[in-house]
Amino acid sequence: MRAVSRPTSCRGDRPVRALDRKLLRDLRRMRGQVLSIAAVVACGVASVVAMGSTLLTIDHTREAYYSRTHFADVFASLTRAPEFVADRVREIPGVAAVTTRVTASALLRVPGLATPATGYFVSVDPRVSSLNRLHLRRGRMVVPDRSDEVLVDEHFTDANRLAVGDSLGAVINGRWRTLHVVGIAISPEFVHAAAPGFAQFGDPRHFGVLWMDRAALARLRDLEGAFNELALALAPGANEQEVVARVDALLGRYGGGHAYPRADQPSEQVVSGEIEQLRAFGVVMPIIFLAVAAFLINVVLSRLVATQRGEIATLKAFGYGNGAVAAHFVGYAIAAVVAGAAMGIPLGAWIGSGFTGLYKNFFRFPEFTHHTDASLAALGVGVSALAAVVGALTAVHAAAALPPAEGMRPPSPSVYRPLLLERLGFAELLPASVRMVLRTIEHRPVRTLTAILGVALSAAVLVAGIFAFDSARYIGDLQFRLVQREDLAVGFTLPMPARVSHELAAIAGVRTVEPFRGVPVRVRSGHRSRQIAILGLEQDASLRRLVDMEARRYRLPPSGLVLTASLGRTLHVVAGDTVVVELLERGGAARSIPVAALIDEVIGVSGYMRLAELNRLVGEGAVASGTLLTLEPGAEADALDALGRIPGVSSVSSRRGMLESFEETLSANITMTTTIVTILACVIAVGVLYNGARIALSERGRELASLRVLGFTRREVAALLFGEQGGINALGTPLGLLLGLGLAYVIASAFGSELYRFPVIVTARTYAVAIGVIVAASLVAGFAMRRRLYSLDMVEVLKTRE
């Protein structure tokens, strides 16, 4: 019985323990390779955890805040309506709650700010529980009927270092007021605060939201017993479009017809757009990282198994089954994944916390605590583990299928074939060492191609990670140097006669004045519609140009409407089609207008017409809702002071201020994102190149040792090994740059939204950085291999299997 039981136990616990010991010894011996694979896995897991947790944090924080503050579902603007109109709005089916208010725009004098800022005043009634409730950060609420007390939004106070107790000056409806800051607040309407018409460009130093008591602001605006804005909440199951249409019809006679859903609310547009872009980035980049990690694991394990072909055959000869052998080699993969998860999960949580910290400055929520979802970590680890197991099993299958006797023999030598260069007659032009390197590369095409692809993927990830910085810079240059060429954009309280341009031109220091007209409309094509603003410009306007993503300038056509290409895709219209334009300031009066052209702008959705034609469309004379100004050098302070004394001026936007804000946001957000992605890509590059060099040394150890015995020096042998790796890098890097350009197009397409379109701009600097990282990673891998190569045991390597 004992003689029978011994073979059985040979397939039982003891062999498994022996394989475990072998696995531990191999992992200790190959710790450099395992750790480099683990680092790549950690990058993939970290990207999933970081991007996903940041997205979930922002999304959950937004929804909780909106729910707690009763953020309205529909908003409407009008000229003036008596309070009883609100009761008629409440009677509309689907309306659950209505809040009316008074708003106003005014210029502000801020301590420490040399130029006037634009203030957007919103009424608040502390005695009435309403929609869009404020969250008080510091100070107290305003006292009823006090017209000298205001709450100020936190964006503005932080940017201008204002505190409770400070004072501001304002011209409201032509009346100078000294205002005292009694509290600092945030609102769901202004999670992102920006000047009207420029929602995508926050300039918190020069635009602020202020809340004043309802009765006091109504007196200053001559709207006692009336309102000019309302917000409403919908009942569950209500038809949003139908409610908007009914509100438009009801408010049309009061200069309204300008209702819009929450999705079109300026702040929510920016927040939603950022979440969508983060969602795209959080899907695309982790897929790229995990795909590279899966590829690397597969390649490394395939080549590792190939080097242990004899050991596999020996194990099978001693009675180990294919399952036990496969499980043994899967252990290598699992070890790498476990180590990668141990590094990647905390790294991803740390990176995600950093991203959330950036959004704290950009978006204002009462609480903004980063949370890491365990399911995200499980997803990243699960994908990595699946790729590792599949790679290991694929690699083991071929070797395990061989009979033990055949597997113990060395692999059949490669069939000698002359090099392509030799067949072409150029062999004599190359040194012998170069020919040896080229033969190694050419005679093993599959291994060479996988190595080249590994290098290419490393370079591609680098290009795809860095190009966002190039694109953002390009957008800033395009928008603020080619499209917006004015120094100041001046807005009027109401449309004013175009001759006001002559009055503004008389201000000292003003060089050029161009009027413009902005008209809110709803553009319809069939059942599709979109609410936008049509901007009317003069025929020869030079301060606000139409420029597409490729920096090509367009001239306004003699007639018809020019739409942005993204809006054309939304409405399914092309040049030559006719759309219906509903004038929201005229109670929704409809006009049919041909689409003269589509222009692929980088920012926003809008329409353009010639100023005179737009005024005829509205049915008014030569009026303008604002002007664009250029100034003499050094004249900005005096010009702004003069503009602040003109009663009809309600806002002044500085192109320089918006550009500075844009660049500050770019510097904070894009730089951090690009830096992190670049670091992760560098880790992947080092991991790929180190493993390539390490496995090449394992595979060619016998050959290199033979050359040493034949008299080759260490330097000459190293040149052969590193020459092969250098050739692979030289072939893989250009391919990687092309793949990176393709990945950039994929990312740009995923990032595309109505608010921003990301042009694919990859500068020579980005390519140079990618090449530099590949070269540096190659040097690091070469230095690590140099020590191993010089310590090669020639006697051990040259031993022949019996």
Side-chain angles (χ1 to χ4, degrees), residues 212-359:
M212 183 183 287
D213 176 68
R214 168 69 180 267
L217 185 58
R219 286 195 301 270
L220 293 176
R221 283 280 281 119
D222 298 325
L223 287 173
E224 293 175 284
F227 63 92
N228 64 348
E229 279 196 10
L230 63 78
L232 55 94
L234 300 179
N239 187 316
E240 183 180 80
Q241 292 183 346
E242 183 176 340
V243 171
V244 168
R246 287 175 175 265
V247 171
D248 281 348
L250 179 60
L251 299 181
R253 70 184 67 180
Y254 303 103
H258 190 192
Y260 53 92
R262 180 195 291 181
D264 293 335
Q265 199 268 341
S267 172
E268 173 59 13
Q269 275 190 314
V270 176
V271 176
S272 296
E274 192 68 29
I275 288 176
E276 289 306 312
Q277 290 179 2
L278 185 60
R279 180 173 286 113
F281 196 74
V283 171
V284 174
M285 291 310 296
I287 287 176
I288 292 173
F289 283 136
L290 289 175
V292 174
F295 172 80
L296 179 62
I297 290 173
N298 195 301
V299 170
V300 169
L301 287 176
S302 297
R303 295 175 69 176
L304 172 65
V305 170
T307 62
Q308 297 202 19
R309 166 186 166 129
E311 286 82 348
I312 293 173
T314 302
L315 290 172
K316 292 188 66 177
F318 276 96
Y320 290 90
N322 288 342
V325 173
H328 169 67
F329 281 95
V330 167
Y332 292 97
I334 297 302
V337 171
V338 170
M343 294 186 290
I345 293 174
L347 177 63
W350 178 75
I351 293 174
S353 178
F355 281 143
T356 302
L358 285 178
Y359 284 110

Side-chain angles (χ1 to χ4, degrees), residues 451-636:
I452 289 174
L453 184 56
V455 174
L457 289 174
S458 303
V461 170
L462 285 163
V463 173
I466 302 173
F467 100 97
F469 189 85
D470 296 333
S471 294
R473 285 288 184 192
Y474 180 80
I475 290 173
D477 289 339
L478 190 68
Q479 187 67 28
F480 294 110
R481 292 182 174 87
L482 294 181
V483 177
Q484 295 177 231
R485 304 178 68 245
E486 76 279 2
D487 293 318
L488 300 175
V490 180
F492 303 143
T493 305
L494 295 171
M496 301 180 68
R499 63 176 179 272
V500 73
S501 299
H502 301 294
E503 300 176 15
L504 296 180
I507 297 175
V510 173
R511 185 166 53 189
T512 308
V513 179
E514 288 184 1
F516 66 87
R517 177 75 193 276
V519 177
V521 301
R522 181 175 289 111
V523 183
R524 292 189 180 277
S525 176
H527 65 280
R528 301 178 181 88
S529 67
R530 186 72 169 82
Q531 191 165 298
I532 64 168
I534 295 179
L535 186 64
L537 302 171
E538 290 188 321
Q539 179 178 354
D540 55 350
S542 62
L543 300 184
R544 185 63 58 87
R545 293 175 170 177
L546 304 186
V547 180
D548 68 8
M549 292 176 63
E550 297 183 7
R552 293 178 299 213
R553 183 183 175 186
Y554 290 75
R555 296 183 63 86
L556 277 172
S559 62
L561 178 64
V562 176
L563 298 176
T564 54
S566 60
L567 180 57
R569 288 189 289 269
T570 300
L571 299 176
H572 289 203
V573 298
V574 296
D577 291 345
T578 299
V579 295
V580 176
V581 173
E582 299 176 2
L583 304 174
L584 301 181
E585 291 181 343
R586 292 291 182 268
R591 306 283 191 271
S592 294
I593 306 177
V595 178
L598 298 176
I599 177 172
D600 198 11
E601 291 186 317
V602 296
I603 294 175
V605 290
S606 54
Y608 302 94
M609 294 180 68
R610 292 201 174 183
L611 178 59
E613 186 181 6
L614 181 58
N615 281 328
R616 283 196 299 271
L617 182 74
V618 178
E620 296 179 342
V623 299
S625 55
T627 59
L628 306 174
L629 310 178
T630 59
L631 307 174
E632 299 290 344
E636 183 173 300

Side-chain angles (χ1 to χ4, degrees), residues 772-795:
V773 170
I774 295 298
V775 171
S778 301
L779 294 176
V780 170
F783 180 80
M785 287 301 98
R786 179 176 176 271
R787 183 177 60 84
R788 285 184 173 274
L789 181 62
Y790 283 8
S791 60
L792 202 62
D793 188 340
M794 291 182 289
V795 175

